Short mmCIF file of all heavy atoms in Angstrom, two decimals:
data_model
loop_
_atom_site.label_atom_id
_atom_site.label_comp_id
_atom_site.label_asym_id
_atom_site.label_seq_id
_atom_site.Cartn_x
_atom_site.Cartn_y
_atom_site.Cartn_z
N PRO R 85 -2.76 11.34 4.15
CA PRO R 85 -3.94 10.70 4.74
C PRO R 85 -5.23 10.92 3.95
O PRO R 85 -6.15 10.12 4.04
CB PRO R 85 -4.03 11.35 6.13
CG PRO R 85 -2.62 11.74 6.45
CD PRO R 85 -2.02 12.16 5.13
N THR R 86 -5.29 11.99 3.17
CA THR R 86 -6.54 12.30 2.45
C THR R 86 -6.43 12.21 0.93
O THR R 86 -7.44 12.16 0.24
CB THR R 86 -7.04 13.71 2.82
OG1 THR R 86 -6.00 14.66 2.51
CG2 THR R 86 -7.38 13.79 4.30
N GLU R 87 -5.22 12.23 0.38
CA GLU R 87 -5.03 12.23 -1.07
C GLU R 87 -4.04 11.15 -1.50
O GLU R 87 -3.01 10.98 -0.85
CB GLU R 87 -4.52 13.60 -1.55
CG GLU R 87 -5.50 14.75 -1.32
CD GLU R 87 -6.75 14.64 -2.15
OE1 GLU R 87 -6.69 13.99 -3.22
OE2 GLU R 87 -7.78 15.16 -1.73
N PRO R 88 -4.34 10.42 -2.59
CA PRO R 88 -5.62 10.42 -3.32
C PRO R 88 -6.72 9.78 -2.48
O PRO R 88 -6.46 8.83 -1.73
CB PRO R 88 -5.33 9.58 -4.56
CG PRO R 88 -3.87 9.35 -4.61
CD PRO R 88 -3.36 9.51 -3.23
N ALA R 89 -7.93 10.30 -2.62
CA ALA R 89 -9.04 9.83 -1.78
C ALA R 89 -9.47 8.42 -2.14
O ALA R 89 -9.70 7.58 -1.26
CB ALA R 89 -10.21 10.79 -1.90
N ASN R 90 -9.59 8.14 -3.43
CA ASN R 90 -10.00 6.81 -3.90
C ASN R 90 -8.78 6.06 -4.41
O ASN R 90 -8.31 6.32 -5.52
CB ASN R 90 -11.05 6.93 -5.01
CG ASN R 90 -12.35 7.53 -4.50
OD1 ASN R 90 -12.75 7.23 -3.39
ND2 ASN R 90 -12.98 8.37 -5.30
N LEU R 91 -8.26 5.14 -3.62
CA LEU R 91 -6.99 4.48 -3.95
C LEU R 91 -7.05 2.99 -3.64
O LEU R 91 -7.37 2.59 -2.52
CB LEU R 91 -5.84 5.13 -3.16
CG LEU R 91 -4.46 4.46 -3.27
CD1 LEU R 91 -3.97 4.45 -4.71
CD2 LEU R 91 -3.46 5.18 -2.38
N LEU R 92 -6.72 2.19 -4.64
CA LEU R 92 -6.55 0.75 -4.46
C LEU R 92 -5.07 0.43 -4.65
O LEU R 92 -4.48 0.76 -5.68
CB LEU R 92 -7.38 -0.03 -5.48
CG LEU R 92 -7.13 -1.54 -5.58
CD1 LEU R 92 -7.52 -2.23 -4.27
CD2 LEU R 92 -7.89 -2.14 -6.76
N ALA R 93 -4.45 -0.20 -3.65
CA ALA R 93 -3.04 -0.59 -3.73
C ALA R 93 -2.95 -2.11 -3.77
O ALA R 93 -3.53 -2.80 -2.92
CB ALA R 93 -2.26 -0.04 -2.54
N ILE R 94 -2.24 -2.64 -4.76
CA ILE R 94 -2.11 -4.08 -4.96
C ILE R 94 -0.64 -4.46 -4.96
O ILE R 94 0.20 -3.76 -5.52
CB ILE R 94 -2.76 -4.51 -6.30
CG1 ILE R 94 -4.22 -4.08 -6.36
CG2 ILE R 94 -2.64 -6.02 -6.50
CD1 ILE R 94 -4.90 -4.36 -7.69
N VAL R 95 -0.33 -5.60 -4.36
CA VAL R 95 1.04 -6.10 -4.33
C VAL R 95 1.00 -7.62 -4.42
O VAL R 95 0.04 -8.26 -3.98
CB VAL R 95 1.77 -5.65 -3.04
CG1 VAL R 95 1.16 -6.31 -1.81
CG2 VAL R 95 3.27 -5.92 -3.12
N GLY R 96 2.02 -8.22 -5.02
CA GLY R 96 2.11 -9.66 -5.10
C GLY R 96 2.63 -10.26 -3.81
O GLY R 96 3.48 -9.68 -3.14
N ALA R 97 2.12 -11.43 -3.46
CA ALA R 97 2.53 -12.08 -2.21
C ALA R 97 4.00 -12.47 -2.22
O ALA R 97 4.60 -12.65 -1.15
CB ALA R 97 1.67 -13.32 -1.96
N TRP R 98 4.60 -12.62 -3.40
CA TRP R 98 6.01 -13.00 -3.51
C TRP R 98 6.91 -11.80 -3.79
O TRP R 98 8.09 -11.97 -4.09
CB TRP R 98 6.20 -14.05 -4.60
CG TRP R 98 5.56 -15.37 -4.28
CD1 TRP R 98 4.99 -15.75 -3.09
CD2 TRP R 98 5.39 -16.48 -5.16
NE1 TRP R 98 4.50 -17.02 -3.17
CE2 TRP R 98 4.73 -17.51 -4.44
CE3 TRP R 98 5.74 -16.72 -6.49
CZ2 TRP R 98 4.42 -18.74 -5.01
CZ3 TRP R 98 5.43 -17.94 -7.06
CH2 TRP R 98 4.78 -18.94 -6.33
N GLU R 99 6.36 -10.61 -3.70
CA GLU R 99 7.19 -9.42 -3.91
C GLU R 99 7.96 -9.10 -2.63
O GLU R 99 7.63 -9.60 -1.53
CB GLU R 99 6.31 -8.25 -4.33
CG GLU R 99 5.66 -8.44 -5.69
CD GLU R 99 5.25 -7.13 -6.32
OE1 GLU R 99 6.13 -6.34 -6.67
OE2 GLU R 99 4.03 -6.92 -6.48
N PRO R 100 9.00 -8.24 -2.72
CA PRO R 100 9.80 -7.92 -1.53
C PRO R 100 8.94 -7.35 -0.40
O PRO R 100 7.95 -6.65 -0.66
CB PRO R 100 10.79 -6.86 -2.06
CG PRO R 100 10.87 -7.12 -3.52
CD PRO R 100 9.51 -7.61 -3.92
N PRO R 101 9.30 -7.65 0.85
CA PRO R 101 8.52 -7.15 2.00
C PRO R 101 8.36 -5.64 2.00
O PRO R 101 7.34 -5.13 2.47
CB PRO R 101 9.35 -7.62 3.20
CG PRO R 101 10.09 -8.82 2.70
CD PRO R 101 10.39 -8.55 1.26
N ILE R 102 9.33 -4.91 1.45
CA ILE R 102 9.24 -3.45 1.46
C ILE R 102 8.02 -2.97 0.68
O ILE R 102 7.36 -2.00 1.05
CB ILE R 102 10.55 -2.83 0.90
CG1 ILE R 102 10.52 -1.31 1.11
CG2 ILE R 102 10.74 -3.18 -0.57
CD1 ILE R 102 11.83 -0.64 0.76
N LEU R 103 7.67 -3.68 -0.42
CA LEU R 103 6.49 -3.31 -1.20
C LEU R 103 5.21 -3.72 -0.49
O LEU R 103 4.20 -3.00 -0.53
CB LEU R 103 6.56 -3.94 -2.59
CG LEU R 103 7.65 -3.43 -3.53
CD1 LEU R 103 7.60 -4.16 -4.86
CD2 LEU R 103 7.53 -1.92 -3.74
N GLN R 104 5.23 -4.88 0.17
CA GLN R 104 4.05 -5.31 0.92
C GLN R 104 3.80 -4.39 2.11
O GLN R 104 2.64 -4.05 2.42
CB GLN R 104 4.24 -6.75 1.38
CG GLN R 104 4.39 -7.73 0.22
CD GLN R 104 4.39 -9.17 0.68
OE1 GLN R 104 3.64 -9.57 1.55
NE2 GLN R 104 5.25 -9.98 0.07
N ASN R 105 4.87 -3.97 2.77
CA ASN R 105 4.72 -3.05 3.90
C ASN R 105 4.18 -1.69 3.44
O ASN R 105 3.47 -1.01 4.19
CB ASN R 105 6.06 -2.87 4.61
CG ASN R 105 6.53 -4.14 5.28
OD1 ASN R 105 5.74 -5.03 5.58
ND2 ASN R 105 7.83 -4.24 5.52
N GLU R 106 4.54 -1.30 2.22
CA GLU R 106 4.06 -0.01 1.71
C GLU R 106 2.55 -0.01 1.53
O GLU R 106 1.88 0.99 1.82
CB GLU R 106 4.76 0.30 0.38
CG GLU R 106 4.45 1.66 -0.20
CD GLU R 106 5.03 2.82 0.61
OE1 GLU R 106 5.66 2.57 1.66
OE2 GLU R 106 4.83 3.97 0.19
N VAL R 107 1.99 -1.13 1.06
CA VAL R 107 0.54 -1.23 0.92
C VAL R 107 -0.13 -1.09 2.29
O VAL R 107 -1.11 -0.34 2.45
CB VAL R 107 0.15 -2.56 0.26
CG1 VAL R 107 -1.36 -2.77 0.34
CG2 VAL R 107 0.60 -2.59 -1.19
N ALA R 108 0.43 -1.80 3.28
CA ALA R 108 -0.14 -1.70 4.64
C ALA R 108 -0.04 -0.27 5.17
O ALA R 108 -0.98 0.23 5.82
CB ALA R 108 0.60 -2.67 5.57
N ARG R 109 1.07 0.41 4.89
CA ARG R 109 1.24 1.79 5.36
C ARG R 109 0.23 2.73 4.72
O ARG R 109 -0.37 3.59 5.40
CB ARG R 109 2.66 2.28 5.04
CG ARG R 109 2.98 3.66 5.61
CD ARG R 109 4.31 4.17 5.07
NE ARG R 109 4.22 4.55 3.67
CZ ARG R 109 3.76 5.72 3.24
NH1 ARG R 109 3.33 6.63 4.11
NH2 ARG R 109 3.72 5.99 1.95
N ILE R 110 0.01 2.58 3.40
CA ILE R 110 -0.92 3.45 2.69
C ILE R 110 -2.33 3.29 3.26
O ILE R 110 -3.05 4.28 3.46
CB ILE R 110 -0.91 3.11 1.18
CG1 ILE R 110 0.42 3.53 0.56
CG2 ILE R 110 -2.07 3.79 0.47
CD1 ILE R 110 0.59 3.04 -0.86
N ILE R 111 -2.73 2.06 3.54
CA ILE R 111 -4.08 1.82 4.06
C ILE R 111 -4.20 2.34 5.49
O ILE R 111 -5.20 2.99 5.86
CB ILE R 111 -4.43 0.32 4.01
CG1 ILE R 111 -4.29 -0.21 2.57
CG2 ILE R 111 -5.83 0.08 4.54
CD1 ILE R 111 -5.07 0.57 1.54
N ALA R 112 -3.19 2.09 6.31
CA ALA R 112 -3.24 2.55 7.71
C ALA R 112 -3.22 4.08 7.80
O ALA R 112 -3.74 4.67 8.75
CB ALA R 112 -2.06 1.98 8.48
N LEU R 113 -2.63 4.73 6.80
CA LEU R 113 -2.49 6.19 6.80
C LEU R 113 -3.81 6.90 6.51
O LEU R 113 -3.97 8.08 6.81
CB LEU R 113 -1.46 6.58 5.73
CG LEU R 113 -1.01 8.04 5.62
CD1 LEU R 113 -0.25 8.47 6.87
CD2 LEU R 113 -0.14 8.22 4.37
N ALA R 114 -4.76 6.19 5.92
CA ALA R 114 -5.99 6.82 5.41
C ALA R 114 -6.78 7.52 6.51
O ALA R 114 -6.99 6.98 7.60
CB ALA R 114 -6.86 5.77 4.73
N ALA R 115 -7.22 8.74 6.19
CA ALA R 115 -8.06 9.51 7.12
C ALA R 115 -9.52 9.12 6.92
O ALA R 115 -9.89 8.61 5.86
CB ALA R 115 -7.86 11.00 6.87
#
């Protein structure tokens, strides 16, 4: 939730859902 503090996660719209879900998880996890 706190590390890395400054993080930009990018994914392609045509990439597998597992990678798109990972970006959403990383952002939702942020403290």
Side-chain angles (χ1 to χ4, degrees):
T86 58
E87 296 294 335
N90 294 322
L91 173 60
L92 170 65
I94 303 175
V95 67
W98 294 351
E99 294 202 67
I102 188 172
L103 292 179
Q104 298 188 40
N105 293 339
E106 185 69 358
V107 170
R109 185 189 71 82
I110 291 171
I111 303 306
L113 186 66

